[in-house]
C-alpha cells in the first residue's frame, strides 16, 4: 500500500487512467507501447500539470493459458515466468519514463477477492448459468488433459491463416472457438484433439445487452470515444450478444468460487479487466474512492483496437450485473496498428523493434517517445520507418525545438551574463501582439486537443509553438547588431522568448519529460502548470523565482498549485547555462538498424550471438597479437640492451676523448 496515495478530491476533476494490461509472456514491442502505456502516460502527465488529481494504474496480466504455454516452452513454472517477465516489462517502461502510480500484477490476493466477489454477485443476480459443453481434449497417454483455447491451433475459417489460435486469429482479429478451426492440433504435441464433455459457467451477456447498450450509447457520446472503439462496440451489439463461458479447465488462474468447480479457474478475458481494480486495491486500501465514485471520477482507458470488446461490453456488463455502484468507462482511447517497415509487429513471432531494442540503439527515450507519438495510429494504421525516425530527430527535434531553446539561452548567457533584462514596458508594445495572439491560439488548441485525447495533434501544436518562437527570433533579427542598436527591443525579444520557452517546457513535458526537465533546469525555474492564458501580465511577474529547478516529479502527489504564476520569468531572474537538448543521428544508421532489427526475434538473437562471437574472436585475436608482440619485444629487448650498453661504452670513450662526460648515472 502507498504511504501517501493519490485520492479523488471532492469538487475537482478527478482522472482515473488505465492502460491495457500487457500480457506477461514476452517483451513489449513499440506498437504495444504507443497504443496503450505511452499514450496513457501523456494524458496522465498533462492532467497532473493541469492540477487535476490523477491516478495512473497498470500492471502485468499474468493468469491464463498463454502463461502456461510460455512456461512450458521455457521449462519453468508459471510463477517463475511471471516474475521474470513482470520485471522485463517494468524495466522497459521505466526506460520509456512511463509515470505509473502503480505498476502491479494480477496474481494477488486482492485480485482473487475482488474477482470472486464480482462472480458471486453475478451468480446471485441470475447473470450466470451452468452449461454443458464439449471441449478439446488431448487423449495422448502422456498428456490426458482438457485443452484451453490457446493450446489448440489450426486454420482460421475466416481468413485461412494457418496458425490461428483457438481463441482468436492473430491475422484477422476474429474471436474463435477452438472447434471453429480447420484441422485443429494440440499446441504441445501436434496430435489431433478429441471432443469431450465438461461443464462451465457462462456470463449471460444477452440478458445484460439492454443495460450495456443503454450505457454504451450514453458513455460513448458523453466521453467522446475513439471512432474505431465505437464501431467495434456497435458491431458487437448489432450482431446480438451471446452468453460466453467464463471458466476454464486450467490450473493457473483465479479459482472459481463454486462447489464442484475446484479444478477450474476464471477465464482470463473475464478476469483481466478486474485487474485494474485489484491493482488499485494493492495501491491503496481506499480503492473504492476511485472505483465506486461515478459522480466524482472520470475513467479514461487506453488500449489497442483488438481489446475493445473486453472494455466496452464484457467488463461493463459484469459491473452492471453486480448491481453495485461502479466508476465506469468515460473515455475510450483506442488506436489502430503501428506496423514495422511495411510488415506487422508480432509478439508471438518476434517481428519488429521491441522495448529493450530501443534502449540498445543508444538513442534517448525522449526521441523514441516523440517519434512514436508523432506516428500514433489514431485513425488508421501507421508505419514505423527508420528513415523517418532519423529525419524527425534531425529536422524537427534538433532543428526546431533544440535550436530555439539553445539559441536564446546561449544569447542571454553571453550578452546579459545570464540575467533577464528589464523587458516589461517594451513587451507591452502592440508590435508584439501578433506573437501573443498566435501563442494564445496554439495554447488553447493544445489544451482542447489534450482534453479530447487527440494526443498527436497536441504534440503538433507544441512543435508549431516552437516554430513560432524560432520565427519570432528571426523576425526581430536577434543578434549583436540588434543589441547594440535597439537594446529595449532586444530585451523584449529576450523576455518574451524566455517566457515562451517556459510555456513550451510545460507543453512538451507530457511527451518529452527529460527534455522538459532540462529546459526547466536551464531556465532555473520549476515546471509551470498549464493554464489557458499567455503571456502573464506585468503584475503577475512581480517576484523572482530563486530556487533552482527541481527534477521533474511526475507523481501527482504534489501537483503544481493552480495559483502558481505561469511562465514567470521576470526581469533580474538569473537563468542557468545552456545545454544541448538533442544530438544529430547519422543517416548511415538507417541501414545498420534496419539490418539489425529487420528479422524475426530468432533471427535477431542469432545475429546478436554472431556479433558477440565475432567481437569475442576479435578480442582474442588482439590479445594473441599483443602477447606475441610482447614476447618478441622481450627478446629484442635483451639483444638491444647488450647493444645499447656496448654503444654507451663507446660514447663514453668518445666523450672522454673530447674532454666531456655527459652520461647520466
Amino acid at each position: 500500500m502507498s504511504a501517501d496515495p493519490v485520492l479523488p478530491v471532492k469538487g475537482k476533476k478527478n482522472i482515473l487512467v488505465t492502460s491495457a494490461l500487457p500480457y506477461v509472456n514476452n517483451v513489449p514491442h513499440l506498437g504495444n507501447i504507443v497504443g496503450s502505456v505511452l499514450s496513457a502516460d501523456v494524458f496522465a502527465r498533462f492532467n497532473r500539470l493541469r492540477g487535476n488529481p490523477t491516478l495512473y494504474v497498470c500492471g502485468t496480466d499474468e493468469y491464463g493459458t498463454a502463461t502456461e504455454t510460455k512456461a512450458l516452452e521455457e521449462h519453468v513454472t508459471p510463477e517463475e515466468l511471471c516474475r521474470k517477465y513482470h520485471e522485463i516489462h517494468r524495466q522497459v517502461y521505466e526506460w520509456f519514463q512511463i509515470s505509473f502510480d502503480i505498476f502491479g500484477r494480477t496474481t494477488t490476493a486482492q485480485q482473487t477477492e475482488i474477482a470472486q466477489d464480482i462472480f458471486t454477485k453475478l451468480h446471485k443476480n441470475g447473470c450466470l448459468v451452468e452449461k454443458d459443453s464439449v471441449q478439446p481434449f488431448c487423449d495422448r497417454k502422456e498428456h490426458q488433459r482438457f485443452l484451453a483455447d490457446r493450446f489448440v491451433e489450426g486454420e482460421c475459417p475466416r481468413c485461412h491463416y494457418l496458425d490461428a489460435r483457438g481463441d482468436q486469429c492473430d491475422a484477422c482479429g476474429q474471436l474463435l472457438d477452438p472447434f471453429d478451426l480447420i484441422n485443429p492440433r494440440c499446441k504441445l504435441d501436434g496430435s489431433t484433439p478429441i471432443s469431450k464433455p465438461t461443464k462451465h459457467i457462462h456470463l449471460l451477456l444477452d440478458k445484460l445487452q439492454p443495460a450495456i447498450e443503454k450505457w454504451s450509447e450514453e458513455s460513448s457520446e458523453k466521453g467522446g470515444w475513439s471512432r474505431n472503439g465505437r464501431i467495434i462496440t456497435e458491431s458487437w451489439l448489432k450482431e446480438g450478444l451471446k452468453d460466453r463461458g467464463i471458466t476454464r479447465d486450467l490450473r493457473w488462474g483465479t479459482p472459481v468460487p463454486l462447489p464442484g468447480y475446484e479444478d477450474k479457474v476464471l477465464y482470463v478475458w473475464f478476469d483481466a479487466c478486474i485487474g485494474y481494480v485489484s491493482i488499485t486495491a494493492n495501491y491503496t486500501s481506499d480503492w473504492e474512492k476511485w472505483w465506486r465514485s461515478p459522480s466524482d471520477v472520470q475513467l479514461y482507458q487506453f488500449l489497442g483496437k483488438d481489446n475493445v470488446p473486453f472494455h466496452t461490453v464484457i467488463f461493463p456488463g459484469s459491473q452492471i450485473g453486480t448491481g453495485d455502484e461502479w466508476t465506469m468507462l468515460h473515455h475510450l482511447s483506442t488506436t489502430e496498428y503501428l506496423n514495422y517497415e511495411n510488415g506487422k509487429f508480432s509478439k508471438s513471432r518476434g517481428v519488429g523493434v521491441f522495448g529493450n531494442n530501443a534502449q540498445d540503439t543508444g538513442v534517448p527515450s525522449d526521441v523514441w517517445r516523440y517519434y512514436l507519438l508523432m506516428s500514433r495510429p489514431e485513425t488508421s494504421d501507421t508505419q514505423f520507418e527508420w528513415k523517418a525516425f532519423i529525419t524527425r530527430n534531425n529536422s524537427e527535434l534538433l532543428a526546431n525545438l533544440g535550436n530555439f531553446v539553445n539559441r536564446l539561452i546561449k544569447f542571454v548567457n553571453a550578452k546579459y551574463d545570464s540575467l533577464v533584462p528589464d523587458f516589461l514596458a517594451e513587451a507591452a508594445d502592440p508590435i508584439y501582439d501578433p506573437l501573443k495572439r498566435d501563442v494564445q491560439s496554439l495554447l488553447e488548441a493544445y489544451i482542447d486537443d489534450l482534453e479530447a485525447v487527440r494526443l498527436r495533434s497536441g504534440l503538433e501544436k507544441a512543435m508549431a509553438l516552437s516554430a513560432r518562437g524560432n520565427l519570432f527570433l528571426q523576425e526581430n533579427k536577434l543578434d549583436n547588431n540588434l543589441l547594440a542598436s535597439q537594446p529595449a527591443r532586444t530585451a523584449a525579444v529576450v523576455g518574451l522568448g524566455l517566457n515562451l520557452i517556459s510555456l513550451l517546457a510545460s507543453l512538451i513535458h507530457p511527451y518529452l519529460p527529460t527534455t522538459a526537465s532540462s529546459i526547466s533546469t536551464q531556465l532555473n525555474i520549476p515546471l509551470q502548470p498549464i493554464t489557458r492564458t499567455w503571456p502573464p501580465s506585468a503584475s503577475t511577474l512581480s517576484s523572482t523565482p530563486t530556487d533552482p529547478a527541481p527534477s521533474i516529479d511526475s507523481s501527482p502527489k504534489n501537483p503544481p498549485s493552480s495559483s502558481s504564476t505561469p511562465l514567470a520569468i521576470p526581469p533580474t531572474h538569473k537563468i542557468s547555462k545552456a545545454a544541448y537538448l538533442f544530438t544529430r543521428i547519422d543517416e548511415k544508421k538507417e541501414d545498420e538498424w534496419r539490418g539489425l532489427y529487420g528479422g524475426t526475434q530468432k533471427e535477431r538473437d542469432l545475429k546478436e550471438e554472431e556479433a558477440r562471437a565475432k567481437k569475442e574472436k576479435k578480442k582474442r585475436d588482439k590479445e594473441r597479437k599483443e602477447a606475441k608482440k610482447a614476447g618478441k619485444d622481450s627478446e629484442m629487448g635483451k639483444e638491444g640492451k647488450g647493444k645499447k650498453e656496448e654503444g654507451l661504452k663507446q660514447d663514453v670513450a668518445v666523450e672522454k676523448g673530447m674532454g666531456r662526460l655527459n652520461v647520466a648515472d
Side-chain angles (χ1 to χ4, degrees), residues 5 14 47 190 222 265 289 306 324-325 334 491 564 571:
N14 299 294
N47 275 284
K222 186 177 179 181
V265 299
K289 291 183 178 179
D306 52 339
D324 291 337
E325 186 176 52
T334 50
S564 300

Side-chain angles (χ1 to χ4, degrees), residues 472-488:
F472 178 62
L473 300 188
Q474 293 164 13
E475 288 171 338
N476 288 278
K477 299 178 181 178
L478 180 67
D479 58 15
N480 292 338
N481 290 332
L482 185 70
L483 179 62
S485 60
Q486 301 183 63

Side-chain angles (χ1 to χ4, degrees), residues 340-604:
Y340 177 78
E341 294 276 353
N342 298 311
K344 284 187 177 293
F345 286 94
S346 171
K347 282 192 291 189
S348 59
R349 288 160 184 81
V351 177
V353 180
F354 286 67
N356 53 340
N357 302 140
Q359 186 173 357
D360 293 341
T361 62
V363 177
S365 61
D366 266 16
V367 177
W368 284 97
R369 287 174 64 108
Y370 178 79
Y371 177 79
L372 290 173
L373 290 161
M374 276 296 199
S375 306
R376 187 173 186 258
E378 295 183 348
T379 56
S380 61
D381 291 355
T382 58
Q383 294 284 339
F384 175 91
E385 295 176 335
W386 286 110
K387 183 175 182 179
F389 176 76
I390 294 170
T391 299
R392 285 200 180 277
N393 176 79
N394 294 347
S395 301
E396 296 173 17
L397 290 177
L398 182 62
N400 178 359
L401 178 57
N403 179 69
F404 173 46
V405 175
N406 191 254
R407 178 183 175 186
L408 187 53
I409 292 179
K410 282 180 72 174
F411 187 86
V412 178
N413 289 159
K415 307 305 176 183
Y416 293 98
D417 194 26
S418 300
L419 286 175
V420 179
D422 187 356
F423 66 93
L424 298 180
E426 176 67 19
D429 193 298
I431 65 170
Y432 303 108
D433 286 350
L435 171 73
K436 297 172 187 177
R437 283 194 299 268
D438 290 347
V439 173
Q440 182 65 41
S441 175
L442 285 168
L443 172 60
E444 290 180 5
Y446 168 93
I447 292 174
D448 290 343
D449 280 340
L450 268 289
E451 288 185 342
V453 201
R454 295 188 295 264
L455 305 183
R456 188 173 65 191
S457 181
L459 181 53
E460 289 168 352
K461 301 296 191 304
M463 293 302 289
L465 192 144
S466 175
R468 184 63 182 91
N470 274 310
L471 179 62
F472 178 62
L473 300 188
Q474 293 164 13
E475 288 171 338
N476 288 278
K477 299 178 181 178
L478 180 67
D479 58 15
N480 292 338
N481 290 332
L482 185 70
L483 179 62
S485 60
Q486 301 183 63
R489 182 172 184 175
T490 306
V493 171
V494 164
L496 288 170
L498 288 175
N499 278 285
L500 180 53
I501 290 174
S502 173
L503 171 64
L504 194 55
S506 296
L507 300 192
I508 66 167
H509 168 73
Y511 300 94
L512 311 175
T514 298
T515 304
S517 178
S518 176
I519 294 173
S520 294
T521 299
Q522 293 176 55
L523 293 177
N524 193 29
I525 62 168
L527 197 66
Q528 301 294 294
I530 297 174
T531 64
R532 281 190 173 268
T533 304
W534 192 92
S537 64
S539 62
T540 64
L541 295 173
S542 59
S543 61
T544 305
T546 56
D547 294 332
S551 59
I552 302 303
D553 179 9
S554 61
S555 168
K557 295 173 184 177
N558 296 295
S561 168
S562 59
S563 62
S564 300
T565 302
L567 313 173
I569 301 183
T572 73
H573 172 66
K574 189 175 182 66
I575 66 171
S576 299
K577 294 296 181 183
Y580 292 112
L581 298 175
F582 308 102
T583 57
R584 184 174 184 80
I585 298 176
D586 190 337
E587 285 82 358
K588 294 177 182 176
K589 284 288 185 180
E590 177 188 345
D591 292 335
E592 178 187 330
W593 285 333
R594 184 181 291 112
L596 186 59
Y597 301 117
T600 65
Q601 186 73 50
K602 186 175 181 180
E603 289 169 344
R604 284 204 301 274

